[in-house]
Amino acid sequence: MEAAGERSGDERGRAASRPDGHVERSLLDRKVYMDYNATTPLEPEVIQAMTEAMQEAWGNPSSAYPAGRKAKEIIRAARESLARMVGGRPEDVVFTSGGTESNNLVIHSAVKHFHKTRLSKGDTAERQSPVEGALPHFVTSSVEHDSIRLPLEHLVEEQVAEVTFVPVSQVSGQVEAEDILAAVRPATCLVTVMLANNETGVVMPVPEISRRVRALNPQRAAHGLPVLLLHTDAAQALGKRRVDVQDLGVDFLTIVGHKFYGPRIGALYVRGLGELTPLYPMLFGGGQERNFRPGTENTPMIAGLGKVSLGDLEQA
């Protein structure tokens, strides 16, 4: 006996048939995809842009022959498109393999910059540095993605850095700006707080944290303390809400293509790259991406990311 509500195969077939002879898909055959925070499907226009790049721009972007020049032009256009999407400058965008690399690159750069600036000040200062002998310190939330949490925990295990994981409110799910600032120490070099949480969807008060950090930095500089850099992982916010680096007030912003209908590639926005905000490479090679992220560029993926960052696809 069939359970209540079930229909036989014949009944399902009749329900799916139309008078014109065409057969519609049965409701039982339809699929509902509910894992968009993990990965979104590619937009058709993105697939087309990537396919065209593979066919027409297969050359090395560093080479002068036509296919290489075409590849270089695609990369340039994609960088401009991505910069417009986040309200930054093209020269402040570096392409990476994805969000994990972008996040690790920020953390690596913060550690490197802490030691470089401490050494340079120690060479000229007449008195001992206020952070002499201290490890670089990071402040983050307790609900960050593993690509933030695990690298920081690894640094702690290796006794390379110290980290404060600030808990979020049990009521709102947000991390409070007041709690973030209370966790700051003399040796703090980076505050990293995601823009939107990948599990709860809660949007964090990054602009408020930024304002508080900016107000604190002149006092820290006057006392010879490291200037606080601010990073946000915007993977779960892009394509779902307006993201503008000027409004957010961040120094670093992580971009992930496959979270908003693009390919599995990433980018990193760095405010005043190499001038106002430091970035130190983790890789060394052929000089691509101005030596910040060397390696022959993945032109088709970059073409897809450039396409999806256009305004008409952001609202897909």
Side-chain angles (χ1 to χ4, degrees), residues 98-99 102-103 106 231-235 238 252-256 267-269:
S102 294
N103 289 344
V106 170
H231 165 248
T232 190
D233 182 346
L238 288 162
F252 303 99
L253 182 137
T254 293
I255 299 165
V256 184
L268 180 66
Y269 162 82

Side-chain angles (χ1 to χ4, degrees), residues 141 143-144 168-169 172-177 193-209 232-234 236-238 240-243 248:
S141 82
V143 296
E144 295 296 310
V168 298
S169 165
S172 67
Q174 285 185 324
V175 65
E176 303 291 344
V193 175
M194 61 180 15
L195 187 51
N197 185 266
N198 52 301
E199 300 290 345
T200 65
V202 168
V203 178
M204 300 298 180
V206 173
E208 182 183 355
I209 294 171
T232 190
D233 182 346
Q236 298 296 346
L238 288 162
K240 302 168 187 172
R241 58 180 288 127
R242 181 173 178 269
V243 175
L248 294 172

Side-chain angles (χ1 to χ4, degrees), residues 58-59 97 179 216:
W58 48 264
S97 63
D179 294 338
L216 185 60

Side-chain angles (χ1 to χ4, degrees), residues 23-135:
V23 179
E24 296 178 348
R25 282 198 310 165
S26 166
L27 288 175
L28 297 179
D29 294 331
R30 294 179 185 174
K31 296 179 180 178
V32 177
Y33 180 65
M34 301 181 66
D35 203 19
Y36 276 71
N37 270 14
T39 280
T40 54
L42 289 169
E43 280 289 312
E45 296 95 328
V46 173
I47 296 174
Q48 181 180 355
M50 294 169 62
T51 301
E52 291 175 355
M54 284 187 278
Q55 293 173 336
E56 303 172 10
W58 48 264
N60 191 316
S62 300
S63 300
Y65 47 80
R69 292 199 301 271
K70 176 70 172 177
K72 187 174 183 178
E73 172 58 25
I74 286 174
I75 293 170
R76 181 200 63 77
R79 198 186 311 275
E80 290 184 352
S81 177
L82 207 58
R84 283 195 300 271
M85 182 183 69
V86 300
R89 305 183 307 168
E91 56 267 34
D92 290 341
V93 173
V94 175
F95 290 109
T96 66
S97 63
T100 294
E101 183 185 343
S102 294
N103 289 344
N104 276 261
L105 184 55
V106 170
I107 293 169
H108 163 82
S109 294
V111 171
K112 194 89 169 178
H113 188 63
F114 176 87
H115 291 297
K116 279 187 172 288
T117 53
R118 192 182 67 176
L119 288 173
S120 63
K121 289 180 179 178
D123 291 340
T124 57
E126 295 182 359
R127 57 185 176 85
Q128 189 177 29
S129 168
V131 294
E132 188 66 33
L135 294 175

Side-chain angles (χ1 to χ4, degrees), residues 115-310:
H115 291 297
K116 279 187 172 288
T117 53
R118 192 182 67 176
L119 288 173
S120 63
K121 289 180 179 178
D123 291 340
T124 57
E126 295 182 359
R127 57 185 176 85
Q128 189 177 29
S129 168
V131 294
E132 188 66 33
L135 294 175
H137 175 245
F138 293 79
V139 176
T140 189
S141 82
S142 61
V143 296
E144 295 296 310
H145 189 269
D146 282 352
S147 58
I148 289 289
R149 180 180 63 83
L150 291 178
L152 291 177
E153 288 181 350
H154 174 74
L155 292 179
V156 172
E157 291 172 4
E158 297 293 318
Q159 298 183 340
V160 174
E162 295 181 337
V163 182
T164 299
F165 292 94
V166 178
V168 298
S169 165
Q170 294 183 1
V171 176
S172 67
Q174 285 185 324
V175 65
E176 303 291 344
E178 187 70 29
D179 294 338
I180 290 289
L181 269 293
V184 169
R185 304 176 185 174
T188 304
C189 58
L190 180 74
V191 173
T192 174
V193 175
M194 61 180 15
L195 187 51
N197 185 266
N198 52 301
E199 300 290 345
T200 65
V202 168
V203 178
M204 300 298 180
V206 173
E208 182 183 355
I209 294 171
S210 171
R211 286 193 294 271
R212 300 286 296 274
V213 165
R214 298 281 178 233
L216 185 60
N217 271 335
Q219 304 171 35
R220 290 178 62 86
H223 289 87
L225 300 178
V227 170
L228 297 175
L229 296 171
L230 182 61
H231 165 248
T232 190
D233 182 346
Q236 298 296 346
L238 288 162
K240 302 168 187 172
R241 58 180 288 127
R242 181 173 178 269
V243 175
D244 189 292
V245 293
Q246 306 305 323
D247 293 342
L248 294 172
V250 294
D251 299 297
F252 303 99
L253 182 137
T254 293
I255 299 165
V256 184
H258 70 100
K259 303 296 186 180
F260 63 111
Y261 305 94
R264 289 191 178 102
I265 192 175
L268 180 66
Y269 162 82
V270 185
R271 184 177 65 93
L273 175 59
E275 299 173 357
L276 298 176
T277 306
L279 191 70
Y280 297 91
M282 293 191 296
L283 305 174
F284 298 88
Q288 295 86 356
E289 291 299 286
R290 292 153 290 167
N291 279 315
F292 292 113
R293 204 287 184 180
T296 303
E297 301 91 337
N298 192 338
T299 307
M301 288 289 193
I302 292 174
L305 184 57
K307 185 67 175 178
V308 79
S309 62
L310 295 172

